[in-house]
Amino acid sequence: MKASQFFVSTYKEAPADAEVVSHKLMIRAGLIRRVSAGIYTYMPMGLRVLHKVAAIVREEMNRAGAVELSMPLVQPGELWQETGRFEKMGPELLRLKDRHGRDFVMQPTSEEVVTDIARSELRSYKQLPVNLYQIQTKFRDERRPRFGLMRGREFIMKDAYSFDKDKAGAQASYQIMREAYSRIFDRFGLRYRAVAADSGAIGGDLSEEFQVIAATGEDAIIYCPGSDYAANIEKAEAAAPSRPRSAPGQPLAKTPTPGKSTCADVADLLSIPLRTTVKSLVLATDTLDEQGAITGSQVWLLLLRGDHDMNEVKVGKVPGLDQGFRFATEAEIIEHFGAKPGYLGPIGLQKPVRIIADREVAVLGDWVCGANEVDFHYTGVNWGRDLPEPELVADIRNVVAGDPSPDGQGELAIERGIEIGHIFYLGTKYSKAMEATFLDESGKPSFFEMGCYGIGVTRLPAAAIEQNHDERGIIWPDAIAPFTVVVCPIGMDRSEAVREAAEALHAQLAQAGVDVILDDRGERPGAMFADWELIGVPHRVVISDRNLKEGQFEYQHRRQESPQKVSSGNIMAFLKEQGVG
Amino acid sequence: MKASQFFVSTYKEAPADAEVVSHKLMIRAGLIRRVSAGIYTYMPMGLRVLHKVAAIVREEMNRAGAVELSMPLVQPGELWQETGRFEKMGPELLRLKDRHGRDFVMQPTSEEVVTDIARSELRSYKQLPVNLYQIQTKFRDERRPRFGLMRGREFIMKDAYSFDKDKAGAQASYQIMREAYSRIFDRFGLRYRAVAADSGAIGGDLSEEFQVIAATGEDAIIYCPGSDYAANIEKAEAAAPSRPRSAPGQPLAKTPTPGKSTCADVADLLSIPLRTTVKSLVLATDTLDEQGAITGSQVWLLLLRGDHDMNEVKVGKVPGLDQGFRFATEAEIIEHFGAKPGYLGPIGLQKPVRIIADREVAVLGDWVCGANEVDFHYTGVNWGRDLPEPELVADIRNVVAGDPSPDGQGELAIERGIEIGHIFYLGTKYSKAMEATFLDESGKPSFFEMGCYGIGVTRLPAAAIEQNHDERGIIWPDAIAPFTVVVCPIGMDRSEAVREAAEALHAQLAQAGVDVILDDRGERPGAMFADWELIGVPHRVVISDRNLKEGQFEYQHRRQESPQKVSSGNIMAFLKEQGVG
């Protein structure tokens, strides 16, 4: 490809609304162009990246036995009513009406349509397993689209759906996808982790996110450097403390802590470690009658160490809280504790509450908590002596760096990640809702066991950039670079020798199947180099009269600080050594 | 590919709503699956065809110097308001609102977005010409979607847009696209014609449709067997008659024609050729004031030979009718002619009307027309003698087979076609509406000269089927067949020799880059053959124990009625002779 025949468009400045580096660089490098909030044109340079991402995904999905189809973007509301998602989903589901006033949605995913296909096309267990996928535009009407392709409204996703005759089959399909995803992300040339994720209402352990490691990532990834253990923060288990509860050493004492309503302030005031303080979180659950009216409420007190944070997903699995919970109102708090938030604790309650202690709180001795009286805390609190043993001890906190790994292989570490893939065992959630059955070995109708598997095709380049960039611009991994090699001739318009050498190298590389671009735009060297460094082409060959006289080209990898001379006769072999072609 | 790992789904019956053969066969062969009216899932077998179509289009567009990008499906209403299309377009433009109530449209084409890109990205004449294209989903909310992919609501189109600095450049870009389209349609292996089309309000001759020839086509294509001349019916010029007007031979006579209100009936009654009768069509134009209220109307009488039909496009170019016209009301007709339709004519008017005669009517002598009196016609009518010469003589009729070709190279013929491509010189229509300018050689802002170029990617397979099918199913041209070769083993589950030979041939063909499918589903031969004949794979190799013993396979092209034996050792060379691989 010659640059004069392509569409190279770079900007010195990023738009004001670009908050993250990938958004800034994708706009500046001319990869994307904003059309509306969260809606972009994929410009020629960006589309090349997307095509490469899609090709790798397609190849590996096919290799894994999945079969590609393409479901429509505009889907009839009736199908979405069968699963209840037409009503249940929030306004991120874009609903629309056609000219006859019939309801449609723009697909955010395609469970309904694919399950409809399965229930009529897959009639016998003999046809199973089947895994159907598409690489297709999706729409989610995000309230606040931002970060460029990271959280857009119109985007491209690879979504796959597996259909099996039983749970064992679904688990095998899941594992096949897990391996395919690993091959896919290996090929992208990105640092990533597969992390265990919570599988929500469906339960079980079959849900993993594929996270591209990047300091700017939105997600916290927990991993054990000494083992394979990795999970997202929602899922990562805080191992049960192996040490016994510390024996009481102090008397219970009501201690003035004027104006100190946070654990950190109290620890400071008392010169004690934050980890010996305990914070009180007050939740409530409601009992409803058949009409959905509230007939009664229960107040819960959660006790966490001052240096720990509550994990809502884990709390949502505690018996009694697993049907939904809310934070208690101030009125409820005062009614039960006789005090306002800031000085709450489990001793001296006005009315009974149900108490859940985090595992780490349950092994504390001589701890500190609010005294249910403004400006006072209890110190030297001990279970059994000063208050009854907790009703329930559970893992209800986020892990922190340094916690023991649940697999006993060392301490947990935390890094940031960007979710670019998710694999998920669905069970019979959709097949039951849509009465999608096949005839099993005994000739009886049986619900499909399903899984779903997504990859954010348009998000992936953004994640790649968050992980791979410097102050000059993007640094693409070879596999998804818009071009692998750029040939930069200096003074092509003045020097016939430079022109000939540049065109010969361009032709030779193209012939060898290398994705090469020759910059024949006639830009000055500084501007030319800046463009390609911004765009992030990984390999650059500069051809100048001065070096040509010595029979040499200049090569520089995008990650290198300075060029090296390479004999022009040896350039193809040299590039091959760099992994090109 | 092995059929057991693919998704083969065929039906014996077509759905009741399938009216045309391509729709029936695409459903029966499992290429597409209806999701809603005019909205389909492209099933695995169908998607393979679409991918091949898209790949050929992409290759040739790139070869022609066009650059691919991808514009969003959901486009902001503001852009469409700039050109006025947001209001002007009918309900086939699907309008929708996002969660914030802002207006959006689903793209039916992308002139607005691409012109917006040009006006900010293309700043200088030095960057021109540029041709940007996408292969992308479109939506048109057709009132009556039908014929499967032939007239769907959601469909895939390749749309390209060229930007030039002047009209000569735009014409050159148009010619480049014309040549690219010819290469594309040549490669598809379809019989097609490029036909001149009317370019509407923009004028000029730069608009051509690419029509796949098919007896079931919706469009009439006019062509000259002796030359390159081809045009659609709207555009095809009826050459001016070369003969002079016939001299009067009969007296003018008012002749009773009771109950004969059509030219055909009158010709029958009087035993005269239909071509000597003249029909009267009454139109009206309105004069509007600044508020759009009608301030006056003008009635027009169009005279056409009884064997000819009016051509609305041509009529719309007649001076005075070129700002819009309507058929006259019955009240207007009675006011001006003193008679109801059926017996109208240009002689004996109650009030003056403007008379336009088709060129063929202008050279008639002794013709017949209505007498403006029920149940009477005039015979022996002659211009100049019985009524004044017509105010205007123009080509206002559709051509008919046998008319002289406008290029003088013989007589016109008519066949049916399906429009699958359209290339169009747009001029400055969109660039002016959107104030899209670049700086020309003298440094002054100048409007882009544009062209647009479409190919119906999803319609093309339907057109291919309309052209290529028989009672057994589809007959794909090799280039766009879902698979090029199907290997059909007979009794693969019983015979190790058959299995080995089939798998070896499958591997050998796949290795050679041939798109081959091995039917390992274990179907009986009859069902297996019927499936692949329905699906339309062009080349079939059957492997059976009986033939294997003689060292032979059976080959049959989809167009052949019976198989031929081919030595198994020679099969690759034989297939190559058939154009495979």
Side-chain angles (χ1 to χ4, degrees):
Chain A
M1 179 67 71
K2 294 185 177 179
S4 62
Q5 288 157 24
F6 194 62
F7 198 97
V8 182
S9 179
T10 58
Y11 290 88
K12 285 227 161 32
E13 302 293 334
D17 72 328
E19 297 168 55
V20 296
V21 68
S22 59
H23 187 186
K24 288 177 188 167
L25 290 176
M26 290 186 95
I27 298 276
R28 287 189 53 212
L31 300 176
I32 57 173
R33 193 182 145 76
R34 185 183 185 279
V35 177
S36 184
I39 299 177
Y40 293 86
T41 290
Y42 310 127
M43 296 294 285
M45 195 69 79
L47 189 61
R48 290 182 71 90
V49 174
L50 295 181
H51 279 171
K52 289 190 181 185
V53 170
I56 288 173
V57 170
R58 181 172 284 128
E59 242 179 78
E60 295 297 339
M61 290 300 292
N62 291 347
R63 192 194 308 268
V67 181
E68 187 176 3
L69 45 49
S70 185
M71 291 175 276
L73 299 165
V74 178
Q75 304 186 345
E78 300 102 69
L79 274 179
W80 284 69
Q81 270 148 0
E82 287 192 48
T83 60
R85 292 212 293 175
F86 190 82
E87 282 80 21
K88 263 184 274 178
M89 276 188 77
E92 71 274 13
L93 178 67
L94 187 67
R95 296 157 178 90
L96 53 102
K97 285 183 189 289
D98 74 357
R99 64 191 290 163
H100 303 297
R102 281 191 287 260
D103 284 318
F104 286 85
V105 305
M106 289 276 282
Q107 65 163 345
T109 57
S110 263
E111 281 83 356
E112 282 78 1
V113 170
V114 81
T115 305
D116 181 50
I117 290 170
R119 70 181 166 184
S120 69
E121 298 280 348
L122 302 174
R123 288 167 288 252
S124 158
Y125 72 94
K126 289 182 199 159
Q127 292 171 277
L128 303 180
V130 164
N131 188 333
L132 298 170
Y133 78 98
Q134 62 177 350
I135 299 175
Q136 174 68 306
T137 302
K138 303 285 182 302
F139 201 93
R140 283 188 199 164
D141 201 1
E142 297 276 354
R143 192 177 59 81
R144 197 182 153 211
R146 55 191 169 147
F147 305 153
L149 298 196
M150 200 77 89
R151 190 172 295 282
R153 294 201 283 179
E154 186 174 315
F155 57 97
I156 300 172
M157 192 167 95
K158 185 284 295 174
D159 43 329
Y161 306 88
S162 65
F163 296 87
D164 276 275
K165 62 178 181 174
D166 52 27
K167 190 168 177 186
Q171 286 171 334
S173 292
Y174 179 95
Q175 287 307 327
I176 287 168
M177 278 297 101
R178 192 182 193 284
E179 286 156 25
Y181 271 46
S182 298
R183 284 197 302 272
I184 289 167
F185 293 117
D186 284 345
R187 285 183 63 181
F188 286 148
L190 300 174
R191 281 171 292 120
Y192 72 94
R193 278 184 200 279
V195 309
D198 186 67
S199 50
I202 292 160
D205 282 332
L206 288 176
S207 173
E208 280 158 288
E209 295 167 356
F210 285 75
Q211 294 266 1
V212 166
I213 310 304
T216 53
E218 281 190 292
D219 297 336
I221 301 172
I222 316 304
Y223 68 102
C224 174
S227 74
D228 279 348
Y229 182 81
N232 67 14
I233 190 86
E234 293 176 344
K235 171 79 176 173
E237 185 191 350
S242 54
R243 64 187 187 285
R245 183 186 293 167
S246 313
Q250 303 169 11
L252 181 69
K254 194 175 190 177
T255 309
T257 51
K260 308 298 180 190
S261 64
T262 70
C263 286
D265 288 347
V266 171
D268 264 6
L269 177 74
L270 304 178
S271 298
I272 54 170
L274 185 59
R275 66 173 183 279
T276 62
T277 64
V278 168
K279 61 179 148 194
S280 298
L281 297 166
V282 189
L283 304 181
T285 52
D286 298 316
T287 316
L288 307 177
D289 67 11
E290 280 179 12
Q291 277 72 46
I294 296 173
T295 57
S297 297
Q298 170 67 51
V299 170
W300 302 68
L301 173 62
L302 270 55
L303 298 175
L304 285 135
R305 252 173 42 183
D307 58 337
H308 285 158
D309 289 324
M310 182 178 99
N311 181 309
E312 280 199 41
V313 170
K314 292 178 182 177
V315 169
K317 293 187 173 174
V318 171
L321 295 172
D322 53 356
Q323 300 301 310
F325 62 84
R326 57 179 173 84
F327 283 94
T329 63
E330 193 165 293
E332 286 170 327
I333 290 173
I334 290 170
E335 180 189 352
H336 288 79
F337 293 85
K340 285 191 181 180
Y343 300 90
L344 304 181
I347 302 175
L349 298 166
Q350 303 294 310
K351 276 184 140 186
V353 301
R354 298 185 65 178
I355 297 181
I356 302 170
D358 184 66
R359 288 166 170 175
E360 289 290 343
V361 171
V363 296
L364 283 183
D366 295 337
W367 40 285
V368 174
C369 63
N372 292 326
E373 188 179 335
V374 173
D375 292 344
F376 285 92
H377 278 76
Y378 281 118
T379 58
V381 183
N382 283 280
W383 291 109
R385 188 191 73 181
D386 309 321
L387 76 171
E389 290 293 331
E391 180 182 340
L392 189 70
V393 176
D395 173 20
I396 55 173
R397 69 175 176 97
N398 287 337
V399 297
V400 293
D403 275 342
S405 175
D407 65 2
Q409 302 295 306
E411 290 183 356
L412 293 178
I414 300 188
E415 60 191 352
R416 310 297 300 178
I418 300 163
E419 185 190 339
I420 40 156
H422 199 152
I423 58 177
F424 207 91
Y425 164 64
L426 285 172
T428 55
K429 179 177 171 186
Y430 289 93
S431 55
K432 278 189 174 154
M434 296 182 68
E435 291 180 30
T437 61
F438 60 95
L439 296 180
D440 66 14
E441 283 91 335
S442 62
K444 286 188 190 127
S446 184
F447 291 111
F448 292 103
E449 284 278 343
M450 290 173 58
C452 70
Y453 316 94
I455 290 178
V457 171
T458 37
R459 181 185 258 200
L460 190 117
I465 293 170
E466 292 292 335
Q467 184 178 87
N468 300 281
H469 67 271
D470 62 15
E471 69 292 348
R472 290 174 288 157
I474 303 166
I475 308 174
W476 289 110
D478 284 25
I480 56 175
F483 295 96
T484 317
V485 178
V486 58
V487 175
C488 295
I490 310 284
M492 189 166 171
D493 48 342
R494 297 185 309 271
S495 164
E496 196 55 34
V498 166
R499 171 181 297 276
E500 273 175 22
E503 292 197 335
L505 178 60
H506 173 255
Q508 208 176 355
L509 283 164
Q511 180 72 27
V514 174
D515 221 345
V516 59
I517 186 160
L518 166 63
D519 193 344
D520 60 346
R521 296 175 301 161
E523 296 282 337
R524 284 169 303 105
M528 177 160 58
F529 295 167
D531 270 355
W532 296 108
E533 286 175 348
L534 173 59
I535 294 164
V537 172
H539 306 273
R540 185 179 79 194
V541 179
V542 178
I543 299 178
S544 67
D545 258 330
R546 200 181 51 192
N547 284 317
L548 265 189
K549 279 178 195 141
E550 299 163 15
Q552 290 186 315
F553 296 154
E554 261 183 22
Y555 169 83
Q556 187 172 343
H557 189 276
R558 180 65 182 77
R559 288 196 185 278
Q560 291 171 338
E561 283 308 312
S562 55
Q564 62 188 110
K565 292 186 181 180
V566 179
S567 144
S568 60
N570 193 40
I571 187 71
M572 293 297 287
F574 174 85
L575 285 171
K576 210 170 182 81
E577 281 165 29
Q578 314 309 311
V580 173
Chain B
M1 179 66 72
K2 294 184 177 180
S4 62
Q5 288 156 24
F6 194 63
F7 198 98
V8 182
S9 180
T10 57
Y11 290 89
K12 285 226 161 33
E13 301 293 334
D17 72 328
E19 296 168 55
V20 298
V21 69
S22 60
H23 187 186
K24 289 177 189 168
L25 290 176
M26 290 186 95
I27 298 275
R28 286 189 54 210
L31 301 176
I32 58 172
R33 191 181 146 77
R34 185 182 185 278
V35 177
S36 184
I39 298 177
Y40 293 87
T41 289
Y42 310 127
M43 296 295 284
M45 195 70 79
L47 189 61
R48 290 182 71 91
V49 175
L50 295 181
H51 279 173
K52 289 190 180 185
V53 170
I56 288 173
V57 169
R58 180 173 285 128
E59 242 179 75
E60 295 297 339
M61 289 300 292
N62 292 348
R63 193 193 307 269
V67 181
E68 187 176 3
L69 46 50
S70 185
M71 292 176 275
L73 298 164
V74 177
Q75 304 187 345
E78 301 100 70
L79 275 179
W80 284 69
Q81 270 148 1
E82 286 192 48
T83 60
R85 291 212 292 175
F86 190 83
E87 282 79 22
K88 262 184 273 175
M89 276 188 78
E92 70 275 11
L93 178 67
L94 188 66
R95 295 157 177 92
L96 52 103
K97 284 184 189 289
D98 74 357
R99 65 190 290 162
H100 303 297
R102 281 190 288 259
D103 285 318
F104 286 85
V105 305
M106 290 275 283
Q107 65 163 346
T109 57
S110 262
E111 281 83 357
E112 283 78 0
V113 170
V114 80
T115 305
D116 181 51
I117 290 171
R119 69 181 167 185
S120 69
E121 297 281 346
L122 302 174
R123 290 167 287 252
S124 157
Y125 72 94
K126 288 180 200 160
Q127 293 171 276
L128 304 179
V130 164
N131 188 332
L132 297 170
Y133 79 97
Q134 62 177 349
I135 298 175
Q136 174 67 307
T137 302
K138 304 286 183 300
F139 201 93
R140 284 188 197 164
D141 201 3
E142 297 275 353
R143 193 177 58 81
R144 199 185 152 208
R146 55 190 169 147
F147 305 153
L149 298 196
M150 200 76 91
R151 189 172 297 281
R153 294 201 283 178
E154 185 173 317
F155 57 98
I156 301 172
M157 192 166 94
K158 186 284 296 175
D159 44 329
Y161 306 89
S162 64
F163 297 88
D164 277 275
K165 62 178 181 176
D166 52 27
K167 189 168 177 185
Q171 286 171 333
S173 291
Y174 179 95
Q175 287 306 327
I176 288 168
M177 278 297 102
R178 191 181 193 285
E179 286 157 24
Y181 271 46
S182 298
R183 283 196 303 271
I184 289 168
F185 293 117
D186 284 346
R187 285 183 62 182
F188 286 147
L190 300 174
R191 281 170 292 121
Y192 72 95
R193 276 184 201 281
V195 309
D198 185 66
S199 50
I202 291 159
D205 281 332
L206 288 176
S207 173
E208 280 159 287
E209 294 166 356
F210 285 75
Q211 294 265 3
V212 166
I213 308 306
T216 53
E218 282 190 291
D219 297 336
I221 302 172
I222 316 304
Y223 68 102
C224 174
S227 74
D228 280 346
Y229 182 81
N232 67 13
I233 190 87
E234 293 177 343
K235 171 77 177 175
E237 185 190 350
S242 53
R243 62 187 188 284
R245 183 185 293 166
S246 313
Q250 303 170 9
L252 180 70
K254 194 176 191 177
T255 309
T257 52
K260 308 297 181 191
S261 63
T262 70
C263 285
D265 288 347
V266 171
D268 263 3
L269 177 75
L270 304 178
S271 298
I272 54 169
L274 185 58
R275 66 172 184 278
T276 62
T277 65
V278 168
K279 62 179 147 195
S280 298
L281 296 167
V282 189
L283 304 181
T285 52
D286 298 317
T287 316
L288 306 179
D289 67 12
E290 281 179 9
Q291 277 71 46
I294 296 173
T295 56
S297 297
Q298 170 67 50
V299 169
W300 302 69
L301 173 62
L302 269 55
L303 299 174
L304 284 135
R305 254 173 39 185
D307 58 339
H308 285 157
D309 289 324
M310 182 178 99
N311 181 309
E312 279 199 40
V313 170
K314 292 179 181 177
V315 170
K317 293 187 172 174
V318 171
L321 294 173
D322 53 357
Q323 300 302 311
F325 61 85
R326 59 179 171 83
F327 282 94
T329 63
E330 193 164 293
E332 286 171 327
I333 290 172
I334 291 169
E335 179 189 352
H336 288 79
F337 294 83
K340 284 191 182 180
Y343 301 89
L344 304 181
I347 301 175
L349 298 166
Q350 303 294 309
K351 277 184 139 186
V353 302
R354 300 184 65 177
I355 296 181
I356 302 170
D358 182 67
R359 288 167 171 175
E360 289 290 344
V361 171
V363 296
L364 283 183
D366 295 338
W367 39 286
V368 174
C369 63
N372 293 325
E373 188 178 335
V374 172
D375 293 344
F376 285 92
H377 279 76
Y378 280 119
T379 58
V381 182
N382 283 280
W383 292 108
R385 187 190 73 181
D386 308 321
L387 76 171
E389 289 294 333
E391 180 181 340
L392 189 70
V393 175
D395 173 19
I396 54 173
R397 70 174 175 97
N398 287 337
V399 297
V400 293
D403 274 343
S405 175
D407 65 1
Q409 301 297 304
E411 289 184 355
L412 292 179
I414 300 188
E415 59 191 352
R416 310 298 299 179
I418 300 163
E419 185 189 340
I420 40 156
H422 199 152
I423 57 177
F424 206 90
Y425 164 65
L426 285 170
T428 55
K429 179 177 172 185
Y430 289 93
S431 54
K432 279 189 174 153
M434 296 183 67
E435 292 180 30
T437 61
F438 60 97
L439 297 180
D440 67 13
E441 284 91 334
S442 62
K444 285 190 192 127
S446 183
F447 292 111
F448 293 104
E449 284 277 344
M450 291 173 58
C452 69
Y453 317 94
I455 291 178
V457 171
T458 36
R459 181 185 259 200
L460 190 118
I465 293 170
E466 292 291 336
Q467 184 178 86
N468 300 282
H469 66 271
D470 62 17
E471 68 293 348
R472 290 174 288 158
I474 302 166
I475 308 173
W476 289 110
D478 284 25
I480 56 174
F483 295 96
T484 317
V485 177
V486 58
V487 175
C488 295
I490 310 283
M492 189 167 170
D493 48 343
R494 295 185 311 270
S495 164
E496 196 55 35
V498 166
R499 171 180 296 276
E500 272 175 23
E503 292 196 336
L505 179 60
H506 173 255
Q508 206 175 356
L509 283 164
Q511 180 72 28
V514 174
D515 220 345
V516 59
I517 186 160
L518 167 63
D519 192 344
D520 60 346
R521 296 175 300 161
E523 296 280 338
R524 285 170 302 105
M528 176 162 58
F529 295 167
D531 270 354
W532 296 109
E533 286 175 348
L534 173 59
I535 293 164
V537 172
H539 306 274
R540 184 179 79 195
V541 179
V542 178
I543 299 178
S544 66
D545 259 328
R546 199 180 53 190
N547 284 317
L548 266 189
K549 278 178 195 140
E550 300 162 15
Q552 290 186 316
F553 296 155
E554 259 184 23
Y555 169 84
Q556 187 171 344
H557 189 278
R558 179 66 182 78
R559 289 196 184 278
Q560 291 171 337
E561 282 309 312
S562 54
Q564 63 189 109
K565 291 187 182 178
V566 179
S567 145
S568 59
N570 193 40
I571 187 71
M572 293 297 287
F574 175 84
L575 286 172
K576 208 168 183 82
E577 281 166 29
Q578 314 309 310
V580 173

